[in-house]
Amino acid sequence: MAKGKTIKSLDYESFAKLIKGKVFYIDRNTEVTADVINDYVDSHQKLMPLYDSLEDLYYGAHKIYYEEKKEDGKPDYRIAVNFAKYIVDTSNGFFNSSSIQITHPSRTITEAIDLYRRINSEDDNDAEVSKLSTIYGHAYKFTYEDQIAEKVLNTDLHQIDSSEPKKNFIQKAVDFVSGNSEKDEFKKVEIPLNNIRTTYVKPTEGFVVYANDVTREPLFCVVYSSVSDDGKEVSAKVYKADEDVGYWFNRDSQASVIFESSKESKEVEEFSYNLKGIPLTEFMENEERIGRIETVANLIDAFNKTVSEKANDVAYFADNLLHVDGVKLNESQKGDMRDKKLLNTYSKESKIGESGVTAKFLDKPNNDGGQEHLLDRLERLIYQMAMVYNANDEDFSNAASGISLEYKLKNMKNLAHTKERKFRKAFRRQYEVLFTNWDLGYEYLNLDYKFSFDIPIDKKQLAEIGNLLVGQVSDKTRLENMQGIVSDVDQELDRLAEQGKDKTSSIDEMYGFGKNQPPKKEVTEDEE
């Protein structure tokens, strides 16, 4: 969790200014030197308070906890409602309700992609990148070479007993990484699935610098190895788009910088970089890189402040003062006013037993109605501006049909489609690096990405539509439009084909088709 002090020190003006500075550009003709990298690292480090504050909001380290303490004797409740976590988890769950399906017209390449994704736990990487982009507005995936994994896969996989339950999967892995696959697409291409790895990276852990022309092409990236708390000491790896060698960037506390090729470095061990292209791929929530909680951060703070003050008022009103007027009480009678909640007023001549003495509880001013109205308005605004549904809203819960729910989820669906387009673009860049290193050229352009949003589905209605489409469209098109019932179209088509074979075989056996049939009589010329 980020340090609480960061959110305390970041004022609203600084917050608003930093939101616009999440992307970096450079003239493509600029030489990437130590000074250039140093300037971009400084610019990136200035974003840390913003990223930390967003992370604090998600984890529940809200501003209200860092407010100055009340005076002694006054109620001082600190109540924080974690709208930020609800917004992020709900949005991310809606967008990433099931695994993203990535397919290629070639079944063999599809299987290779599936194997690569299993080895790298890409389903989990996708989910984490999606969550991070919802929090920060953007996140990254980092593709790298794992020499240890290469050694393990090249040796240990062949030693696995073929009788184990994972025989089929392991055999595919062995075939793919060794180039022994019998499938046509792999006879000419060796796909090194064994040593290419992918993981997710927070925007606090690296950044990409793009060309400042219409191409917006990534020119180089920086991935931090370590950064001191004050951001002065930095150790990072730098990757350039037009070079196949990595660079070390090291800056000490005295601002002394070392920037050199990893092959020339004497300060640190050499690291190899044989991949083609920038290994850091940016995944964006939207073009502006604005997360789902940035636009409501001030509303959340205001809600927490209001509900905390309301709790203080409840405690304050619960401690009504007893007002004794007309007589002076001695110390043993009144005790400590703060503990006994007693107010004593009198004249100098007043004595106990005289007439005119009164004792009653004081009424305190109450603005409960105004506070409730403000809380209700803030809550509505938070959900409206974050564009997520309120699961506790009676109107939402009482929606009668799937169509009604779909209309209520329209804003979430529109934002999810925007995010989907950005993720498609990022996936193409990620798999461009992968396919280039697999020597598959531009085949990555033929990849198809299917996203499934968590929209309520009337399966009965969907099945009826599927039946109506029989004979009107191809089976593949029909199944593709039945998401929610069919998760993997290609797998389902295989099952249907296998099922058709089984049915044909059973009918043949039942009626003896193909058995004990007289040979076909040859047709002679006379019979013709």
Side-chain angles (χ1 to χ4, degrees):
M1 184 185 299
K3 300 180 180 65
K5 63 181 180 181
T6 55
I7 192 170
K8 184 180 179 182
S9 62
L10 188 63
D11 57 77
Y12 290 128
E13 182 180 356
S14 300
F15 189 94
K17 289 180 178 179
L18 290 174
I19 287 177
K20 301 178 181 180
K22 295 180 184 177
V23 58
F24 304 106
Y25 296 102
I26 190 173
D27 189 293
R28 65 171 58 250
N29 296 317
T30 301
E31 182 182 359
V32 181
T33 63
D35 290 338
V36 170
I37 296 295
N38 196 42
D39 289 343
Y40 279 103
V41 168
D42 282 341
S43 297
H44 186 248
Q45 287 301 307
K46 290 177 182 178
L47 291 171
M48 293 303 113
L50 171 63
Y51 289 138
D52 287 344
S53 67
L54 294 173
E55 186 175 284
D56 285 341
L57 276 171
Y58 177 74
Y59 280 108
H62 294 275
K63 268 187 176 182
I64 190 67
Y65 295 132
Y66 306 100
E67 296 282 347
E68 292 186 5
K69 291 184 177 181
K70 302 282 187 181
E71 298 176 11
D72 290 343
K74 290 187 177 181
D76 190 14
Y77 286 98
R78 309 294 178 91
I79 299 175
V81 181
N82 202 345
F83 284 105
K85 190 175 190 306
Y86 177 88
I87 291 168
V88 170
D89 292 348
T90 301
S91 303
N92 189 48
F94 180 84
F95 176 78
N96 203 47
S97 62
S98 60
S99 301
I100 299 168
Q101 301 294 320
I102 302 178
T103 58
H104 188 276
S106 165
R107 185 61 180 272
T108 305
I109 294 181
T110 297
E111 290 182 359
I113 291 293
D114 181 60
L115 179 60
Y116 163 79
R117 288 177 62 80
R118 290 191 192 186
I119 291 173
N120 287 278
S121 301
E122 277 288 85
D123 287 346
D124 182 65
N125 289 336
D126 292 341
E128 289 302 316
V129 164
S130 176
K131 183 177 76 174
L132 292 173
S133 69
T134 305
I135 296 173
Y136 301 108
H138 64 148
Y140 301 95
K141 274 191 181 182
F142 181 59
T143 302
Y144 62 99
E145 292 177 299
D146 187 347
Q147 303 301 329
I148 296 178
E150 179 179 11
K151 181 178 179 181
V152 171
L153 280 172
N154 277 339
T155 56
D156 293 350
L157 280 182
H158 293 277
Q159 299 172 7
I160 295 177
D161 186 355
S162 61
S163 64
E164 292 187 9
K166 295 183 179 180
K167 174 184 175 182
N168 292 337
F169 175 77
I170 295 300
Q171 189 56 51
K172 283 183 180 181
V174 173
D175 289 343
F176 286 143
V177 300
S178 63
N180 294 328
S181 175
E182 296 179 357
K183 300 189 177 182
D184 292 339
E185 289 88 342
F186 290 130
K187 286 182 179 179
K188 298 179 181 179
V189 180
E190 181 178 347
I191 297 185
L193 288 168
N194 50 338
N195 71 328
I196 298 181
R197 291 288 177 269
T198 302
T199 188
Y200 60 89
V201 174
K202 292 182 178 180
T204 57
E205 299 170 333
F207 59 93
V208 176
V209 179
Y210 299 90
N212 65 347
D213 52 35
V214 294
T215 66
R216 298 293 190 269
E217 180 184 357
L219 297 182
F220 68 89
C221 68
V222 176
V223 181
Y224 296 125
S225 298
S226 64
V227 181
S228 62
D229 290 339
D230 58 8
K232 292 182 178 179
E233 298 179 42
V234 177
S235 177
K237 295 177 181 179
V238 180
Y239 303 87
K240 300 181 182 180
D242 56 353
E243 296 185 26
D244 59 358
V245 61
Y247 287 82
W248 281 107
F249 174 85
N250 286 280
R251 183 175 70 188
D252 60 23
S253 58
Q254 304 301 318
S256 178
V257 174
I258 298 174
F259 181 62
E260 57 188 349
S261 164
S262 63
K263 293 182 178 179
E264 302 169 351
S265 177
K266 297 178 181 179
E267 300 294 325
V268 291
E269 62 179 339
E270 176 183 341
F271 70 93
S272 62
Y273 178 63
N274 298 316
L275 300 178
K276 301 171 184 176
I278 295 292
L280 200 62
T281 303
E282 185 178 20
F283 286 74
M284 298 179 287
E285 188 77 8
N286 46 59
E287 186 64 28
E288 296 74 26
R289 297 168 177 82
I290 297 177
R292 299 297 292 274
I293 57 179
E294 290 174 61
T295 55
V296 295
N298 60 336
L299 294 174
I300 294 173
D301 289 339
F303 187 95
N304 291 339
K305 180 75 172 178
T306 304
V307 75
S308 296
E309 290 299 334
K310 182 173 177 61
N312 291 336
D313 288 347
V314 170
Y316 176 72
F317 291 129
D319 295 333
N320 282 338
L321 294 177
L322 176 62
H323 181 203
V324 178
D325 180 51
V327 62
K328 180 180 180 180
L329 303 178
N330 59 43
E331 293 300 319
S332 63
Q333 290 174 317
K334 67 180 182 181
D336 182 58
M337 177 179 168
R338 182 177 299 162
D339 295 334
K340 304 298 184 181
K341 310 300 180 185
L342 178 67
L343 176 65
N344 185 206
T345 57
Y346 56 88
S347 63
K348 291 183 178 180
E349 293 77 17
S350 297
K351 296 181 180 179
I352 295 178
E354 293 183 354
S355 61
V357 177
T358 60
K360 64 180 180 179
F361 286 102
L362 295 179
D363 293 328
K364 299 179 181 180
N366 188 341
N367 189 31
D368 185 68
Q371 288 176 326
E372 285 294 333
H373 180 70
L374 178 59
L375 287 173
D376 289 342
R377 174 167 292 187
L378 287 172
E379 183 177 2
R380 286 197 305 271
L381 284 173
I382 288 171
Y383 287 117
Q384 288 173 3
M385 299 309 297
M387 297 187 186
V388 298
Y389 64 85
N390 180 1
N392 296 320
D393 183 13
E394 291 184 3
D395 292 337
F396 181 85
S397 302
N398 294 332
S401 66
I403 299 297
S404 299
L405 284 174
E406 191 166 351
Y407 275 114
K408 290 182 178 296
L409 294 172
K410 185 175 178 59
N411 286 337
M412 289 189 69
K413 190 175 179 180
N414 290 339
L415 291 177
H417 279 305
T418 298
K419 184 172 181 175
E420 177 187 346
R421 288 190 290 270
K422 296 302 178 184
F423 270 49
R424 285 179 184 273
K425 182 178 179 180
F427 275 125
R428 278 194 291 270
R429 194 176 294 280
Q430 176 189 346
Y431 284 99
E432 178 183 6
V433 173
L434 192 64
F435 275 46
T436 300
N437 289 278
W438 284 357
D439 293 329
L440 290 178
Y442 292 98
E443 284 299 321
Y444 71 91
L445 294 174
N446 293 321
L447 290 175
D448 183 48
Y449 310 94
K450 291 192 180 300
F451 295 77
S452 299
F453 303 150
D454 189 16
I455 299 175
I457 296 174
D458 186 342
K459 292 188 176 182
K460 180 181 178 181
Q461 184 181 29
L462 200 61
E464 291 173 351
I465 294 173
N467 287 330
L468 291 174
L469 292 176
V470 174
Q472 304 299 317
V473 297
S474 67
D475 287 343
K476 186 170 185 177
T477 300
R478 182 166 58 90
L479 293 175
E480 285 175 345
N481 285 276
M482 296 179 67
Q483 290 187 12
I485 297 178
V486 178
S487 58
D488 190 321
V489 173
D490 289 332
Q491 189 179 63
E492 191 65 24
L493 288 171
D494 287 344
R495 289 173 180 171
L496 287 172
E498 190 64 31
Q499 181 176 303
K501 290 179 182 178
D502 291 343
K503 284 185 177 181
T504 302
S505 177
S506 62
I507 292 173
D508 289 345
E509 291 177 1
M510 182 181 298
Y511 293 100
F513 293 153
K515 296 182 179 179
N516 301 321
Q517 297 294 325
K520 290 184 180 180
K521 183 179 179 182
E522 294 184 3
V523 180
T524 64
E525 293 181 0
D526 294 337
E527 289 175 331
E528 289 181 347

